[in-house]
């Protein structure tokens, strides 16, 4: 095998690593519309949403590449981010930006086969990602609100791509859950950094006590919004039967962020990969919601 071929494979591997495929689990919010609309057995709609899911994986990967180029210098001085390919000097910023553009173009090509509203939503997603990378992540409270908005856009794209009616309560639940996870992320970062950050100054403004108070506001709001969705927005009020899974999921995350100590990752997305009880809760909730929705169809 020639050196050029080995180099191309190595570069491709570095680009994939920098796109953070483990973080693509966040894009499962794109699939929520299928479950709650009872369309999981409609092959055409499943295929459409699958395309949107792949598009958002590529778009979020492109956003990570741009973000790491912007933050390359500060990432080198933070233990959590120093091992990223661009920060450690293995992946050239120019190569990363070219890969980001290509990934973005492919993402748009995929959603262009669905609806124009999905194309606009993806564009809004990338614009907000860019604003977050360059400015919003440095603004207190706006940073986590931007993160939550990105999740809402994912869910909305999945819904609008197959042109199905949806409940605004479901999108509200998505936003609140995202705020909850964003606060958990900030709490993990605050604990890991010990109250001081040269990596991102906004983290100095988030104390653990403040974050705990905010979580105390958001956590019950999730349950309230979910119950309202089950009563007012779902196809059947039997969706209330899935509320215990939501309660357990909130309790489990709260337990982990307060008592798991050094074993807890500062990114709550990693909880999905590491915590078996939380994984089972999510699976059981999803299966229950799908069965109830299909039975009511």
């Amino acid at each position: 095998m020639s050196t050029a071929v080995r180099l191309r494979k190595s570069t491709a591997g570095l680009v994939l690593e920098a796109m953070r495929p483990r973080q693509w689990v966040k894009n499962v919010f794109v699939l929520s519309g299928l479950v709650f609309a009872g369309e999981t057995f409609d092959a055409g709609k499943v295929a459409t949403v699958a395309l949107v899911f792949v598009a958002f994986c590529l778009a979020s990967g492109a956003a990570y590449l741009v973000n790491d180029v912007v933050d390359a210098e500060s990432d080198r001085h933070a233990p959590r981010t120093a091992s990223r390919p661009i920060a450690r000097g293995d992946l050239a910023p120019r190569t990363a930006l070219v890969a980001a553009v290509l990934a973005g173009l492919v993402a748009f090509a995929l959603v262009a086969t669905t609806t124009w509203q999905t194309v606009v939503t993806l564009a809004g997603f990338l614009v907000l990602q860019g604003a977050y990378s360059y400015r919003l992540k440095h603004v207190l409270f706006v940073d986590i609100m931007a993160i939550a908005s990105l999740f809402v856009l994912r869910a909305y794209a999945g819904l609008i791509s197959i042109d199905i009616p949806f409940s605004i309560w479901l999108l509200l639940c998505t936003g609140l859950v995202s705020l909850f996870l964003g606060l958990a992320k900030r709490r993990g970062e605050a604990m890991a950094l010990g109250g001081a950050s040269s990596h991102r100054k906004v983290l100095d403004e988030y104390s653990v006590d403040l974050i705990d108070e905010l979580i105390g506001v958001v956590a019950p709001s999730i349950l309230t919004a979910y119950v309202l969705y089950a009563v007012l927005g779902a196809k059947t009020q039997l969706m209330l039967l899935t509320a215990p899974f939501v309660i357990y999921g909130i309790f489990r995350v709260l337990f982990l962020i307060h008592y798991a100590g050094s074993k807890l990752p500062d990114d709550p997305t990693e909880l999905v990969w590491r915590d078996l009880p939380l994984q089972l809760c999510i699976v059981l909730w999803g299966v229950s919601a799908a069965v109830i929705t299909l039975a009511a169809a």
Side-chain angles (χ1 to χ4, degrees), residues 84-109:
R84 291 174 179 171
I86 299 172
R88 68 176 186 254
D90 290 342
L91 181 62
R94 178 170 180 165
T95 301
L97 291 175
V98 170
V101 171
L102 291 175
L105 290 175
V106 174
F108 274 111

Side-chain angles (χ1 to χ4, degrees), residues 2 12 22 39-40 43 52 95 138 152 188 194-195 197 260 276 287 290:
S2 69
R22 287 178 67 89
E39 302 288 355
T40 50
V52 177
T95 301
H138 302 295
V152 173
S197 171
L276 181 59
V287 170

Side-chain angles (χ1 to χ4, degrees), residues 206-226:
Y206 282 107
S207 68
V208 173
D209 289 341
L210 172 61
I211 294 171
D212 284 342
E213 289 186 31
L214 296 174
I215 288 175
V217 172
V218 174
S221 299
I222 295 172
L223 182 58
T224 301
Y226 191 80

